[in-house]
Amino acid sequence: MNRELERKDIMNYVTDDYLGAQMIVRYATRMGHKSFGMIEGQLQFIITDDHIKQGNYLPESGYLKMKEMLTASKIPTCIFVANDDMAIGAIQACNDLGFRVPEDISILGFDDMGYTKYLVPKLTTVKKPTNELVEEGVTALTNLVTGVHVDTKKAVFPPYLVVRDSAKALRSETQA
């Protein structure tokens, strides 16, 4: 559950993370952002672009990678962070270096963890339908264990955008 598998012989219940990333980037683009950065999770390959940093899904890596981005010669207006834990670290790095979120830089997260609505600013993020995913997965597993046939080998759950306060509109109302 919650990680897409290439194997087809194993049941797999996942969120459409690609759709979620599209949703958040489209939102930021509609808000007028043209310069983006990203703090992503662990990968199997190396990315060297100055505006793409690789973290490890923990707040400290978000903090350290955001500091790297904020000390670069050109700073993006919007940072998409691959999970909310790293977004917390990224926001703290902004605060420590004197950047205000969202006035100076917008931060966007992914997951919609329960605490994100209590952050300052409240985090704009993509909500993964974790409860539904887990419920379906556990039901399927229970059915398998008890001998009940399960038709679905893979179920993909759509995420949705949760707009809060961590992204600033850069375009004027006359451009809307």
Side-chain angles (χ1 to χ4, degrees):
M1 288 190 285
N2 202 31
R3 292 283 182 255
E4 189 158 3
L5 303 174
E6 290 184 24
R7 290 180 57 177
K8 305 296 181 208
D9 61 326
I10 298 176
M11 294 172 50
N12 195 199
Y13 292 81
V14 297
T15 302
D16 189 341
D17 290 343
Y18 183 78
L19 174 62
Q22 282 183 320
M23 293 166 71
I24 202 119
V25 170
R26 285 182 184 149
Y27 169 75
T29 302
R30 285 193 312 271
M31 299 286 284
H33 291 276
K34 295 178 182 171
S35 174
F36 293 89
M38 181 174 184
I39 301 174
E40 58 190 359
Q42 297 177 358
L43 297 177
Q44 301 302 317
F45 52 89
I46 297 171
I47 294 178
T48 58
D49 188 279
D50 284 343
H51 287 174
I52 300 175
K53 303 294 181 187
Q54 185 179 339
N56 64 7
Y57 299 115
L58 298 175
E60 182 179 15
S61 72
Y63 180 86
L64 295 172
K65 298 305 175 180
M66 189 70 200
K67 280 181 79 173
E68 286 177 20
M69 215 172 296
L70 292 173
T71 56
S73 60
K74 189 171 183 181
I75 300 170
T77 62
C78 184
I79 307 296
F80 171 47
V81 186
N83 78 349
D84 294 342
D85 287 343
M86 288 191 303
I88 288 173
I91 290 170
Q92 187 60 52
C94 290
N95 292 337
D96 288 354
L97 293 177
F99 290 85
R100 298 167 300 152
V101 177
E103 294 85 0
D104 300 325
I105 192 163
S106 294
I107 304 287
L108 305 171
F110 204 96
D111 290 335
D112 193 34
M113 301 302 291
Y115 55 78
T116 57
K117 60 187 166 197
Y118 301 109
L119 296 175
V120 178
K122 295 174 184 156
L123 186 64
T124 295
T125 187
V126 172
K127 180 165 184 64
K128 293 176 103 173
T130 306
N131 290 343
E132 295 88 345
L133 184 148
V134 169
E135 186 176 309
E136 290 280 331
V138 169
T139 298
L141 180 60
T142 302
N143 286 341
L144 276 176
V145 169
T146 59
V148 176
H149 176 72
V150 178
D151 289 328
T152 306
K153 280 286 189 188
K154 182 175 184 177
V156 181
F157 295 81
Y160 57 92
L161 183 64
V162 179
V163 176
R164 295 194 182 107
D165 304 328
S166 65
K168 177 182 177 181
L170 297 182
R171 60 188 174 107
S172 68
E173 292 302 317
T174 58
Q175 293 176 324

